[in-house]
Every structure is written in C-alpha cells, then in structure tokens.
Amino acid sequence: MEEARDFLVRLTPKISISPDPASEFSVSLGITPETHTPEQVLEMVETIAKRKNKHIVVCIDEFQQIGEFADSKSVQARLRSVWQHHHLTSYCLFGSKRHMMSDIFLNRSMPFYQFGDLIWLQKIPTEDWIPYIISHFEAAGRHISETMARHICETVDNYPSYVQHLASIMLSSLPEGASATEDLLVPSVTELISTNEALYMQQVEPLSVYQMNLLRAITSGIHTGFNEKRVRQQFDLGSPSNFVRLKTALIERDLIYSEMKHLNITDPVFTLWFRRRF
C-alpha cells in the first residue's frame, strides 16, 4: 500500500464487502479522465513493476467484450500501443466466445493481430474430473462411483460449469450416506436442462427456419458434408450459398463453432434441450 500511494494519491479508493463471509471484497479506484489520462492508467502496472523490480501478470477475463465497445478498434489500438512496450508486465487475455476472440487476434486488420501466443484451452479430461467429483461427494457425506462420475462428464461433454452443476444437482438430491445411481442421472439432467431453458428459448426465437434446420442437422449427428445434395434435401438447408450464410449467422450468435471444417454445437446442454424440443 505504501508503494501504491505514489500512484493512487489522487484517487479515493472505495471498498465493498459482501454480507456473505465467503465472498471476496472488491476495491474500486474511481479513476476518471479528470484524474488520469488513459495512457497513465495503462502504464500504471508497468511503472509499479519497474519500481518494485517484479514481474507482474495482468489477467483480463471475457476480453472479447472489447469488441462490443463503441469505437472498439481505436480502443484496441490504444491498448496495444502501450502494452507492446512493456517488459515487466505480461497480459493474459481470456475469452469464452471463440469467434469473437478469433476476430480480435487472427484478423489481419485488427490491432491485436499476432499480439502474442494464442492458446485454445482444451477440455478438462474425464480422468481429472472423476477424483474431483468423488471427493466432493465424500466431503458432503454422500458417495458416487467412478462409473457414475464418468457418466456425468460424458453427458455434458466435459463442459466445466455443467459438470459441476449436474454433479451438484445429483448430490443435493441424495440423503446423507446414500450413493448416486443411474436412476438419479435422468431426472438430474432434466432439472439441468430446465434451469437453462429460458436462455435457450431466447437464443432460438430470432432464428429463421433454415437456421433451425441447420441446428437440427448438427444435433442429429451430422458435422460435415452439408453441401451434399442428400444432406441439403434431408434437412432443407437450401442452396450451398445459403448454407454459408446460415453457418456464419449461427457462429456469430455463438450457437455453433467450426473446427477442422466440422460444425459443432457450442453448448452441450443446449444440444440435449434442442433434441427434446425439436
């Protein structure tokens, strides 16, 4: 705090503490254009790093939201113009929207093109999930077998938040000392789907008939060959040129993603819901 005083002397820090004792407190610094220029703010971490002779890592989550800023391109250009000269500060920029992150870092016309190493995080392996799930059941006085823990992972395609949510639903359904069984999985999945149904309805309501047809094709197990006449006719996808527009629209809505020319649904629980409803 003494070191920070030099940099924060003109600020009035505000500390917010949640009533929940398990929650972390938050600090806001009240930086405004009247107190600091944008360049001063962006240089602050590097200045502190030099003063302390420490290597500092700044992590920014959901970085793709910068693409929705007004005048986003100039904002990105200003960030890069400062950050690229930093030597004691590293930046980890996380994002959950693959197509938006790709546009920021893989588009030659964007300021952050080839700014640093681009790493696509892979799914957490089932073998790592199993002991995690079992340990949480045991800590709560319940039990689950390796087989059932594996089924949880497979059901939601190892999607981290859904693995934890589905496991939590099953755990909360068990009395103390009981063990999770296969019979518990089906109603737990139904509850998981129900929890997210309002969001999914909101996502599909604006879609055209053709866009819905493409989702039907993918959720039925077809991931490539959409320009084949048989597939176009079976799912009524229209012409090959129409398919390109459909694919682009659904990728921009983050409903699907393309990997090695294969189309996949972004959200595995959305797939389960879509199959039941449509």
Side-chain angles (χ1 to χ4, degrees), residues 16-41:
S16 301
I17 302 177
S18 169
D20 183 356
S23 298
E24 297 181 359
F25 65 87
S26 63
V27 179
S28 59
L29 298 178
I31 294 175
T32 70
E34 288 73 29
T35 62
H36 290 73
T37 66
E39 284 71 24
Q40 284 179 306
V41 175

Side-chain angles (χ1 to χ4, degrees), residues 60-95:
I60 304 178
D61 200 10
E62 300 298 346
F63 187 75
Q64 77 277 346
Q65 295 301 122
I66 197 173
E68 299 182 1
F69 287 6
D71 200 14
S72 171
K73 201 167 182 178
S74 66
V75 174
Q76 294 178 45
R78 173 172 266 172
L79 292 178
R80 175 159 187 163
S81 68
V82 176
W83 288 354
Q84 67 186 354
H85 298 295
H86 290 177
H87 299 288
L88 290 178
T89 308
S90 299
Y91 295 88
C92 291
L93 310 174
F94 303 102

